[in-house]
Amino acid sequence: MTYDVAVIGYGPTGVTAANLLGAMGLRVVVVERDAEIYTRARAISTDEEVLRIWQRTGLADRLKQDMLAERPLDFVDARGRPFLSAHPTPRGHRHPPQMFIYQPALEQVLRDGVTRYPNVEVLLRHECLRLRQSADGAGVELTVVSTADDSVHRLRATYVIAADGGSSLTRAQLNIGYEGKTYEDRWVVIDTEMLKPWPDHDRLRFRCDPARPAVDCPTPLGHHRWEFPILPGDDEKHLTSDDAVYGLVSRYGISRDDIKILRATVYSHHVRFASRFRVGKVFLAGDAAHAMPPWIGQGMAAGVRDVANLCWKLRSVLRGELPETVLDSYETERKPHVKEITKRAAFVGRIITERRPPVTRVRDCALRALNHVPGFGDWLQDSRWIPVAYYSDGLQARPRTRASGRQIPQPWVTGPDGVRVRLDDALGGRWLLLHAGPAAPQPAWDRLDLPALTVTPAGSRPADGTLVDSDGVLLAWMAEHRAATLALRPDAYVYAAAATGAQLPPPPAGFAPAAQPTASTSQ
């Protein structure tokens, strides 16, 4: 059997891809070496944009049941006094701006979601030993071995998404460089079960003590995470023992009566990028394509964004809607954003891990003074930590406008049936035209017979072909970006925009849309 897409790796990136592709009706096979979900919780937080992606799989609300939302964070000095505080501010995706997660539970929900799709086959305890791309570009042959009985199988797929982690065998087979550096400091990461709560246990603290910095982080479902650097002279093996861990956390008033240690593992922090995200019909995603320090909680999120960008493009090419050249826009769009996020993560890490006492005194005083400026902490986190995914190049119309390459916000809207839903559920993951006010003729687009919706102000009566902007957000955004008409991609990014009475730039070359999927109201 030939699959449309083979997904190698079944962590957060791979399982998100399996859900997205499964919902699209594509024939998918997942190849995963391990039998069970990885029990070590690596990621500890995510954000509203990632929840918006999981919303497309119909799982966002279920996932949020196992998350801690909107917890404040503090940078504290050696004496535990805050010198910088922040509270995440929403960016318009209609999910909480920051959520703490327990990764094994999150992955279980996502894997359970994949079981909804008979078109997705999951091969656990299988490892992909070799990829061979056909000379005529027709597809990829995968040589897969079962780790249960050593049997060897050969599978064929038109495309492959390699989400097999930072030590990606796929990347190595393709001879793709993984450039960057590994930080000298190694960190012990400690996951615990809370036996009883303590004051402010649900508040994230970056403990910026030059003697030994630490991360003190709430995680849901009765868990808590600490991270400590391994300093010169430390015995790494001893530092992961229960006695050593209890000694580390005792400085914060935590005792054996408060927590049960689940695991303590040593990690290194990396800044690395694959030299290419694509070779022929094989695409790298997640840690296989890039690695970043953990300080702003964006490693897992970056991988989820990768496959959200890639999967709908694969579907469009497989259905003959777009030429295969459009797949080059995956790296063009994703790599600059990942690099910018990684740069911000490294910057925040320098604030946290500075160990020179004179420098930390200046840091603490300067940031404490700025922290008294209303909104400074929120501004720093919102605008400086996690840059908005804005695509300045890639699959965008020319000439560009202020709206091009931006994802539109997701307010609550009321559809023609009078039901109030999040915007993406009304848009339905399809190409469409969105109008603010009376629709101007768009001959180049109208002949494609794309669906079109007119946004009407809050309080308007629902009607066929309209969306009521219940929150008053979408029309304001369109006005701010001088866009009376938007041509939206299936991921709700703006392909093209036009002012009142103006013509949209033409559709992508070779665009021949098939029958569009209908909108969903599952979330």
Side-chain angles (χ1 to χ4, degrees):
M1 177 178 180
T2 298
Y3 298 91
D4 293 316
V5 183
V7 178
I8 303 173
Y10 208 34
T13 299
V15 72
T16 298
N19 274 287
L20 292 169
L21 296 167
M24 294 170 186
L26 299 180
R27 294 167 298 173
V28 180
V29 63
V30 178
V31 179
E32 167 56 45
R33 177 186 58 198
D34 295 328
E36 304 291 341
I37 291 171
Y38 194 60
T39 58
R40 296 174 184 170
R42 292 151 290 171
I44 54 175
S45 70
T46 191
D47 61 44
E48 60 188 296
E49 183 186 349
V50 173
L51 260 294
R52 186 175 178 178
I53 292 167
W54 285 329
Q55 180 188 328
R56 298 180 210 166
T57 72
L59 298 174
D61 289 336
R62 170 63 187 88
L63 288 164
K64 286 191 290 187
Q65 293 175 18
D66 294 337
M67 297 179 180
L68 292 175
E70 301 183 84
R71 295 304 195 267
L73 66 89
D74 294 321
F75 290 78
V76 301
D77 61 18
R79 296 171 61 184
R81 301 172 303 179
F83 61 82
L84 180 63
S85 301
H87 197 287
T89 54
R91 287 182 164 178
H93 297 288
R94 281 305 175 266
H95 294 286
Q98 183 181 51
M99 287 145 288
F100 294 104
I101 67 169
Y102 186 61
Q103 186 174 335
L106 179 143
E107 289 192 42
Q108 187 62 62
V109 172
L110 290 170
R111 288 193 179 191
D112 290 345
V114 173
T115 64
R116 298 171 295 176
Y117 303 113
N119 49 309
V120 180
E121 182 179 357
V122 179
L123 303 179
L124 301 177
R125 300 187 68 182
H126 285 74
E127 188 167 13
C128 181
L129 297 181
R130 191 181 74 162
L131 297 174
R132 186 173 65 86
Q133 302 200 53
S134 61
D136 60 3
V140 186
E141 182 183 83
L142 296 82
T143 302
V144 175
V145 62
S146 166
T147 60
D149 59 15
D150 293 329
S151 59
V152 177
H153 312 273
R154 286 182 173 81
L155 311 174
R156 291 193 63 82
T158 306
Y159 294 102
V160 173
I161 298 175
D164 48 347
S167 56
S168 169
L169 179 61
T170 307
R171 189 185 61 239
Q173 289 183 61
L174 296 172
N175 293 316
I176 297 174
Y178 202 42
E179 301 151 357
K181 71 174 184 177
T182 297
Y183 286 85
E184 292 182 5
D185 288 345
R186 288 164 61 79
W187 285 65
V188 58
V189 177
I190 303 155
D191 286 310
T192 69
E193 177 186 340
M194 291 177 53
L195 301 179
K196 59 183 180 181
W198 55 88
D200 293 331
H201 66 88
D202 59 350
R203 193 178 189 99
L204 170 61
R205 290 183 182 85
F206 293 116
R207 297 186 177 273
C208 306
D209 182 351
R212 191 189 296 268
V215 178
D216 178 353
C217 181
T219 49
L221 304 177
H223 297 89
H224 201 88
R225 159 78 65 86
W226 278 275
E227 300 179 13
F228 298 93
I230 298 173
L231 303 181
D234 284 341
D235 181 333
E236 184 174 302
K237 185 176 180 180
H238 172 69
L239 209 60
T240 60
S241 68
D242 284 3
D243 286 343
V245 168
Y246 284 121
L248 288 170
V249 301
S250 65
R251 63 198 303 181
Y252 308 125
I254 306 301
S255 72
R256 294 174 183 264
D257 296 330
D258 298 312
I259 59 170
K260 173 185 176 182
I261 299 169
L262 299 178
R263 61 193 62 85
T265 309
V266 174
Y267 285 105
S268 296
H269 297 162
H270 308 277
V271 172
R272 297 191 180 275
F273 303 96
S275 57
R276 292 181 289 171
F277 285 13
R278 177 190 185 186
V279 174
K281 292 180 176 290
V282 181
F283 300 83
L284 303 181
D287 288 353
H290 43 74
M292 68 181 71
W295 307 116
I296 58 176
Q298 286 292 300
M300 179 189 71
V304 173
R305 289 188 180 96
D306 287 345
V307 293
N309 183 283
L310 178 60
C311 286
W312 73 265
K313 294 175 182 176
L314 291 174
R315 178 194 66 184
S316 295
V317 172
L318 286 161
R319 296 175 65 185
E321 292 183 340
L322 288 168
E324 192 174 49
T325 52
V326 78
L327 298 177
D328 290 333
S329 67
Y330 164 60
E331 179 175 339
T332 302
E333 293 180 348
R334 288 298 306 139
K335 198 168 192 177
H337 185 245
V338 170
K339 284 193 169 185
E340 183 61 27
I341 287 180
T342 303
K343 184 170 70 175
R344 307 284 180 91
F347 167 74
V348 174
R350 287 194 295 272
I351 295 177
I352 298 167
T353 62
E354 176 58 58
R355 298 193 58 224
R356 294 169 293 178
V359 177
T360 61
R361 286 193 291 271
V362 172
R363 174 200 64 193
D364 297 353
C365 291
L367 290 178
R368 183 171 283 116
L370 288 170
N371 197 42
H372 290 297
V373 177
F376 173 77
D378 295 341
W379 169 85
L380 178 65
Q381 184 183 27
D382 188 52
S383 64
R384 303 304 302 170
W385 285 22
I386 305 173
V388 174
Y390 164 64
Y391 301 142
S392 60
D393 201 357
L395 185 57
Q396 311 295 333
R398 299 294 186 273
R400 295 179 54 81
T401 67
R402 293 178 61 176
S404 299
R406 301 183 187 277
Q407 190 175 38
I408 61 173
Q410 180 181 220
W412 289 96
V413 297
T414 303
D417 56 2
V419 176
R420 189 170 182 261
V421 296
R422 295 185 183 97
L423 175 65
D424 287 1
D425 295 327
L427 299 182
R430 51 189 174 163
W431 286 89
L432 56 73
L433 301 184
L434 206 60
H435 301 283
Q442 301 290 340
W445 290 85
D446 293 342
R447 68 173 62 103
L448 298 174
D449 198 28
L450 290 179
L453 295 169
T454 298
V455 184
T456 59
S460 301
R461 183 182 298 275
D464 288 343
T466 70
L467 290 177
V468 179
D469 185 10
S470 305
D471 291 347
V473 168
L474 190 52
L475 287 172
W477 188 92
M478 294 176 73
E480 177 187 353
H481 292 84
R482 300 173 187 171
T485 300
L486 300 174
L488 292 181
R489 308 183 333 181
D491 56 359
Y493 278 80
V494 176
Y495 173 80
T500 303
Q503 294 293 301
L504 287 168
F511 184 35
Q516 295 288 304
T518 57
S520 164
T521 56
S522 61
Q523 287 283 299

